[in-house]
Amino acid sequence: MAGALEKFGIDGDYLPETLAVRGGQERSQFGEHAEALYLTSSFVFKSAAQAAKRFSGEEAGNVYARFSNPTVSMFEERLAALEGAEACVATASGMSAIMALVLAHLKQGDHIVASNSLFGATVQLFSNILARTGITTTFVSQTDPAAWAAAIRPETKLFFLETPSNPLTEIADIRALSAIAHEKNILVAVDNCFCTPILQRPLDLGADLVVHSATKYIDGQGRVLGGAVCGPKHLTDEVFKYLRTAGPTLSAFNAWVLLKGLETLKLRIQAQSTAAAELAAWLEAHPKVARVYYPGLASHPQHALAMSQQTSGGAIVTFEVKGAREQAWTVVDHCQLLSITANLGDTKTTITHPASTTHGRITPEARAAAGISEGLLRVAVGLEAIEDLKADLERGLSLI
Ligand SMILES: *Cc1c(COP(=O)(O)O)cnc(C)c1O
């Protein structure tokens, strides 16, 4: 991105590795090398006149931390640079980013077409909370562009997708869905939590907005919650207006943690996805495993599409053991190393049984229709030695 480091008197184009470490940094008068953490809820003005100008927007600058904070701004600029976005607005969590995006751009009577394999809380947000405000959603198959086209109504304002999906790693064709949406002036938003801008840049593929749960790979070490919306400034400005009034702003401390997370994001996600690819191949050849879902495997039904929009298969591997819940739980319960938790994106590898946890509240019929079988397990690969991860899974697999 040109000009991203201009404020240091450094001119020119920089590659993502450089922007991840240096992008967005603003030094104070003290010349600190690391990014400063500005723990302050408000800012002082030199005069009554300056206060008035700051409040009216006539003069740029900080007023109150619900609106902006220099540490949060550094995080926003750095993430925008990585996504190839003109602007970014940070939020308190991934869910508040999605809420802010929708409420900033849609109103009562508007309609969303969304993937039927979105993150569980996103489905609840759309089908319960937003439905109560008169914003309705039609859920369609992630992998069927014709179904998205058929679901469009005159009042449709947004396509919302998440690719690869969780846990079955279904791929949405970002280019094809963006083309369908743009013919009807519909915005396309992509939840890019699983790939991060290192593996996939939805804006380059035609999407209008990217949302993140920064809680996952961007922090990468399971410490803080955070979220963001990235895109052209005229679209993120609407999100900012919602945020400064409604208030789910990112805290300065969390922004500071996430800024440092971005510096190592590429190293982490690439190492984690290299390990995930090896684990996926090992599981596919394992006699106790019925099926592996991993976009980087040639056996994935959408492997070619995945590789046309992602630079690798990512760090999440889902597989079905031969058997049902009892066999899947045997694998989980014999893990000594893998953490039994629904979280993902951490340096510590995690294992989840979706049918009894993340997808436990939906009916068995709906679960079966969604392909979430009782034998399914999801592993979010971290940074431990791959040999140790295989040995941990083998303990349970060998007992099936
Ligand atoms: C975790 C997650 C979210 C929600 O993010 P929070 O930071 O927990 O609010 C949204 N989308 C996806 C894909 C996620 O994995």
Side-chain angles (χ1 to χ4, degrees), residues 119-188:
F119 182 67
T122 313
V123 175
Q124 295 301 324
L125 178 70
F126 287 3
S127 51
N128 295 333
I129 296 174
L130 288 172
R132 276 197 263 129
T133 72
I135 297 170
T136 55
T137 303
T138 304
F139 294 97
V140 295
S141 165
Q142 170 105 323
T143 58
D144 183 5
W148 291 70
I152 294 174
R153 300 181 196 158
E155 60 274 21
T156 304
K157 293 284 158 55
L158 178 69
F159 274 14
F160 192 95
L161 49 122
E162 179 189 317
T163 180
S165 74
N166 175 21
L168 294 177
T169 71
E170 287 178 350
I171 308 297
D173 187 334
I174 300 173
R175 290 184 189 89
L177 295 180
S178 299
I180 291 167
H182 292 158
E183 254 177 51
K184 302 267 166 74
N185 285 325
I186 296 166
L187 290 175
V188 177

Side-chain angles (χ1 to χ4, degrees), residues 162-166 192-196 199 217 269 316 344 378:
E162 179 189 317
T163 180
S165 74
N166 175 21
N192 201 26
C193 169
F194 275 29
C195 276
T196 82
L199 304 185
Y217 289 101
I269 190 99
I316 293 170
L344 59 91
R378 188 196 73 194

Side-chain angles (χ1 to χ4, degrees), residues 93-95 98 119 122 162 191 193-194 213 215-216 225-226 344:
S93 66
M95 289 320 301
I98 297 170
F119 182 67
T122 313
E162 179 189 317
D191 183 334
C193 169
F194 275 29
S213 167
T215 315
K216 312 291 167 51
L225 292 180
L344 59 91

Side-chain angles (χ1 to χ4, degrees), residues 39-273:
L39 271 186
T40 179
S41 52
S42 67
F43 300 84
V44 293
F45 313 107
K46 293 196 176 80
S47 63
Q50 188 187 38
K53 282 185 188 161
R54 287 272 179 91
F55 268 84
S56 72
E58 195 184 330
E59 180 184 302
N62 297 295
V63 173
Y64 183 60
R66 174 151 40 76
F67 311 169
S68 67
N69 170 289
T71 309
V72 175
S73 302
M74 288 191 258
F75 169 67
E76 291 171 335
E77 279 193 39
R78 189 168 289 179
L79 182 57
L82 285 176
E83 282 289 1
E86 188 185 1
C88 167
V89 176
T91 58
S93 66
M95 289 320 301
S96 56
I98 297 170
M99 182 74 165
L101 183 156
V102 173
L103 289 181
H105 289 283
L106 278 72
K107 61 180 186 319
Q108 186 180 20
D110 287 345
H111 175 249
I112 302 170
V113 183
S115 157
N116 64 9
S117 52
L118 294 177
F119 182 67
T122 313
V123 175
Q124 295 301 324
L125 178 70
F126 287 3
S127 51
N128 295 333
I129 296 174
L130 288 172
R132 276 197 263 129
T133 72
I135 297 170
T136 55
T137 303
T138 304
F139 294 97
V140 295
S141 165
Q142 170 105 323
T143 58
D144 183 5
W148 291 70
I152 294 174
R153 300 181 196 158
E155 60 274 21
T156 304
K157 293 284 158 55
L158 178 69
F159 274 14
F160 192 95
L161 49 122
E162 179 189 317
T163 180
S165 74
N166 175 21
L168 294 177
T169 71
E170 287 178 350
I171 308 297
D173 187 334
I174 300 173
R175 290 184 189 89
L177 295 180
S178 299
I180 291 167
H182 292 158
E183 254 177 51
K184 302 267 166 74
N185 285 325
I186 296 166
L187 290 175
V188 177
V190 178
D191 183 334
N192 201 26
C193 169
F194 275 29
C195 276
T196 82
I198 304 299
L199 304 185
Q200 172 173 278
R201 296 216 313 184
L203 301 177
D204 294 348
L205 300 167
D208 301 290
L209 289 161
V210 171
V211 292
H212 275 288
S213 167
T215 315
K216 312 291 167 51
Y217 289 101
I218 291 177
D219 174 4
Q221 290 148 86
R223 298 164 296 188
V224 299
L225 292 180
V229 180
C230 303
K233 194 165 180 318
H234 73 278
L235 295 180
T236 60
D237 274 353
E238 295 303 313
V239 178
F240 172 69
K241 282 185 213 159
Y242 166 84
L243 213 69
R244 67 176 277 169
T245 306
T249 320
L250 183 65
S251 81
F253 178 78
N254 288 8
W256 180 77
V257 171
L258 296 170
L259 256 171
K260 305 313 276 179
L262 284 176
E263 293 183 3
T264 56
L265 177 62
K266 181 173 180 176
L267 292 177
R268 285 185 283 107
I269 190 99
Q270 288 190 338
Q272 287 168 249
S273 58

Side-chain angles (χ1 to χ4, degrees), residues 26-43:
E26 188 101 59
R27 289 207 174 102
S28 79
Q29 56 178 321
F30 300 112
E32 67 282 353
H33 190 209
E35 295 75 4
L37 168 53
Y38 293 96
L39 271 186
T40 179
S41 52
S42 67
F43 300 84

